[in-house]
């Protein structure tokens, strides 16, 4: 299936009002958040410390009387410079382009499946700055197979999970983890749509380099095409 055809499939599925966080949080309580290197408000924030970033996110939510801050697809971010996990001996391969959509909310917030699927794989990715507990769901819609990734979860989210377990649309199957387990970030969900997992299990790059952006933007389309926030 061509990328444009897959995009149209996601648009069609968006009519069913999918969500990835506890459905009791209304859309009116969501607010966009810019964490790109071009946001002047971040120039005075030492994002190498998760507590500083958490304060920034908290203040943004308070200022907008919101419960969830969202965004981040293809943002070029400086927050990954603190971790060797995203660095490379080849400077052109240093990763800074965010490939998913983030949802910043309180620790323990429920994570839902936007579509029917089953558990493909899961893992606790424990590198500093990595996803921490991660679950990948597999979906088959109109004979098209693709995947959704959920990163920065709680450790408890992995305890009842089994490969092949069915997950229904709207089902709460995980919760957001704290900075102690989620790669040292403020509590949030990294949600990513992946067309081809390329053999990965329980993990897939959520950040890429500039020179890889062309490939990854096709393999990992904008989640908001599906969610329509």
């Amino acid at each position: 299936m061509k990328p444009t055809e897959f995009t149209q499939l996601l648009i069609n599925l968006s009519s069913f009002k999918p969500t990835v966080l506890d459905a009791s949080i209304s859309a009116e309580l969501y607010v966009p958040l810019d964490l790109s290197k071009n946001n002047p408000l971040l120039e005075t924030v030492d994002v190498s410390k998760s507590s500083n970033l958490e304060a920034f996110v908290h203040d943004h939510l308070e200022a907008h009387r919101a419960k969830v801050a969202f965004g981040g697809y293809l943002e070029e971010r400086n927050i990954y410079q603190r971790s060797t996990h995203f660095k490379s001996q080849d400077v052109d391969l240093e990763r800074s382009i965010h490939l998913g959509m983030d949802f910043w909310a309180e620790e323990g917030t429920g994570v839902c499946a936007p579509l029917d699927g089953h558990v493909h794989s899961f893992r606790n990715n424990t590198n500093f700055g990595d996803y921490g507990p991660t679950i990948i769901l597999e979906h088959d819609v109109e004979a098209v197979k693709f995947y959704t990734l959920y990163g920065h979860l709680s450790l408890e989210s992995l305890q009842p999970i089994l490969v092949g377990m069915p997950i229904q649309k709207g089902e709460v199957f995980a919760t957001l983890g704290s900075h102690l387990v989620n790669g040292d970030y403020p509590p949030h969900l990294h949600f990513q749509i992946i067309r081809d997992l390329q053999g990965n299990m329980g993990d897939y790059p959520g950040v890429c380099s500039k020179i890889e952006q062309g490939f990854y933007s096709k393999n990992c389309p904008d989640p908001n095409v599906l969610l329509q926030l």
Side-chain angles (χ1 to χ4, degrees):
M1 176 176 277
K2 296 178 180 179
T4 53
E5 295 173 331
F6 187 72
T7 297
Q8 186 58 54
L9 174 63
L10 296 179
I11 292 172
N12 294 343
L13 291 171
S14 72
S15 65
F16 295 98
K17 306 297 184 183
T19 183
V20 293
L21 288 187
D22 187 341
S24 68
I25 305 174
S26 68
E28 291 75 19
L29 296 176
Y30 282 60
V31 62
L33 176 64
D34 178 6
L35 290 181
S36 73
K37 62 183 290 185
N38 298 318
N39 185 350
L41 296 177
L42 281 173
E43 291 179 358
T44 58
V45 180
D46 179 6
V47 294
S48 66
K49 296 181 179 180
S50 62
S51 58
N52 293 341
L53 183 57
E54 183 161 8
F56 179 82
V57 173
H58 177 268
D59 289 347
H60 185 76
L61 289 171
E62 286 286 310
H64 292 86
R65 298 182 179 179
K67 288 191 174 182
V68 179
F70 70 93
Y73 180 66
L74 296 188
E75 279 186 352
E76 184 177 3
R77 294 175 168 178
N78 286 331
I79 61 176
Y80 306 117
Q81 294 179 353
R82 65 187 183 136
S83 173
T84 59
H85 181 58
F86 302 100
K87 295 186 181 298
S88 171
Q89 292 182 342
D90 184 342
V91 67
D92 290 332
L93 292 177
E94 185 166 322
R95 297 188 288 153
S96 62
I97 308 296
H98 188 249
L99 296 170
M101 192 170 180
D102 284 336
F103 295 84
W104 307 84
E106 290 185 358
E107 176 187 351
T109 299
V111 176
C112 304
L115 306 165
D116 289 344
H118 66 265
V119 176
H120 172 274
S121 52
F122 58 93
R123 180 187 299 171
N124 189 4
N125 296 289
T126 57
N127 292 307
F128 179 65
D130 208 337
Y131 290 129
T134 309
I135 298 173
I136 296 177
L137 302 185
E138 181 176 322
H139 309 277
D140 194 332
V141 179
E142 299 178 12
V144 178
K145 184 183 294 185
F146 61 97
Y147 308 87
T148 51
L149 181 149
Y150 308 80
H152 310 295
L153 306 175
S154 64
L155 287 173
E156 291 78 11
S157 299
L158 301 185
Q159 292 176 0
I161 292 294
L162 297 172
V163 171
M165 176 185 294
I167 304 292
Q168 303 300 314
K169 179 182 182 296
E171 178 181 348
V172 175
F173 67 95
T175 56
L176 300 186
S178 75
H179 73 280
L180 297 174
V181 301
N182 75 356
D184 193 45
Y185 295 97
H188 74 290
L189 172 69
H190 173 99
F191 174 68
Q192 188 167 332
I193 299 173
I194 306 166
R195 297 183 64 196
D196 180 1
L197 270 177
Q198 300 179 282
N200 284 276
M201 302 289 287
D203 190 19
Y204 190 83
V207 182
C208 73
S209 66
K210 290 182 181 179
I211 63 174
E212 298 171 311
Q213 183 175 335
F215 166 77
Y216 280 109
S217 61
K218 292 178 181 177
N219 198 43
C220 303
D222 185 353
N224 208 29
V225 174
L226 173 66
L227 301 178
Q228 295 290 310
L229 290 171

